[in-house]
Amino acid sequence: MCTCSPDARWAGPRADAPECSPAAAPAIPRAIPAFVRDVGTISVFAVYSRRPHRHRSRPPFSRGRLTDLLDNSTTSSLFIVTNPIVQSHNSPVYRFAVGDFECAALAANTWEIPSPHPFFAPQATAEQFAAALAKESLPASPIRLYFNVLLIRNGRQNILIDAGFAKNSVPAVFDVASNLSALGLTPSDIDVVILSHAHGDHMGGLLDESGKQVFAGAQHFCSTEEIAFWTGPTPDFSESRLDEKSRASSIAAARRIFESISFTRITPSTVLPDGLTALLAPGHTPGHMNFRIRSGSEILHHMMDLAHHFALMPPHPDWTVAFDVNSKLAAATRREIFPRLAAEGVRVFGYHVPFPGLGRIQVSGDAFRWVPELWNAHL
């Protein structure tokens, strides 16, 4: 057995160590691999053969971590095999404060949409569409959509604005009801649910797989205009580019929600929980709403679906998406609200901007741009 110390081996064989000679190495059966150890994400294997140990003039790895790998003089080769990295996910919950209110963004999904044009921005040419995305270093296809649910804790009530997708339609990591546990809450702790509009990515999470209410103890709110549109005898899609099958599916899903849950209808005189004000922002749907969250001197404006993509709608407010029930009205609403948000410099939360959905709308030339808020480790 070689008597050289591990540190000495990195420097080469000792002149006074006859045990290091080839003759001193015992014979070992050929090709018997032996697992040695893990080093970080690297697995190191020692392979034994009939060849004797040969000292290296310098280490193939850092001395401090691997000096014990050559304890056996019969080791002739070291092989490195990287361990497979365990696939995991980032936290779908991001906490932040608005004055004295504790808030949280809950990621409800992400979608990769191949060939998005002209479903998105039919007003643009393919070249204009690609250029708008390239300006943000993004490819023209696919584009990624984000879905961000907002939770507000005003000290008296736990308020959820929208509920994301149905649980069985998204990966488990995006189940909003389950992710409340990261905030020390359960669905039974939610006091108020406000539905901004009746699209599946906002209302699907209100019912479980058996059709029962997920937030059974909460008071539910939705605008009068929204409920009237979807529950009326013939919802008017004459200004929409959505195909007939999608229209029928949307109507059926909305009616199921409004038949299963009793909603308080929001009108201009409706009293909402402390700190919340609703604003009608029609076009995407007839009763699509925005919200103002105010605590002390701080304000957060929830722009909901005014911008389905940060690189498309703020720089081009007249660009629309086929999901719009009335695309012309949706563009006009953006033209009305974006200048106000930019002039106020108010903090903005967006349902479809990159998680965690916080930023500001700023003037850029004759249009606007989305400026994301810097990540903050503290409330």
Side-chain angles (χ1 to χ4, degrees), residues 220-256:
H220 291 67
F221 291 86
C222 190
S223 73
T224 297
E225 293 84 354
E226 192 72 359
I227 297 174
F229 175 79
W230 294 104
T231 60
T234 53
D236 183 7
F237 279 87
S238 60
E239 296 295 328
S240 172
R241 294 186 296 110
L242 207 60
D243 63 84
E244 289 292 338
K245 182 179 179 181
S246 297
R247 294 179 188 183
S249 175
S250 296
I251 293 170
R255 287 177 174 172
R256 179 171 179 256

Side-chain angles (χ1 to χ4, degrees), residues 198-277:
H199 277 167
D201 54 322
H202 297 257
M203 67 181 181
L206 293 177
L207 299 178
D208 64 18
E209 296 91 330
S210 63
K212 296 180 180 179
Q213 293 186 42
V214 173
F215 308 101
Q219 183 178 10
H220 291 67
F221 291 86
C222 190
S223 73
T224 297
E225 293 84 354
E226 192 72 359
I227 297 174
F229 175 79
W230 294 104
T231 60
T234 53
D236 183 7
F237 279 87
S238 60
E239 296 295 328
S240 172
R241 294 186 296 110
L242 207 60
D243 63 84
E244 289 292 338
K245 182 179 179 181
S246 297
R247 294 179 188 183
S249 175
S250 296
I251 293 170
R255 287 177 174 172
R256 179 171 179 256
I257 290 292
F258 291 128
E259 289 168 0
S260 302
I261 301 173
S262 176
F263 281 84
T264 298
R265 298 179 182 230
I266 296 177
T267 66
S269 61
T270 300
V271 177
L272 292 176
D274 289 351
L276 267 71
T277 305

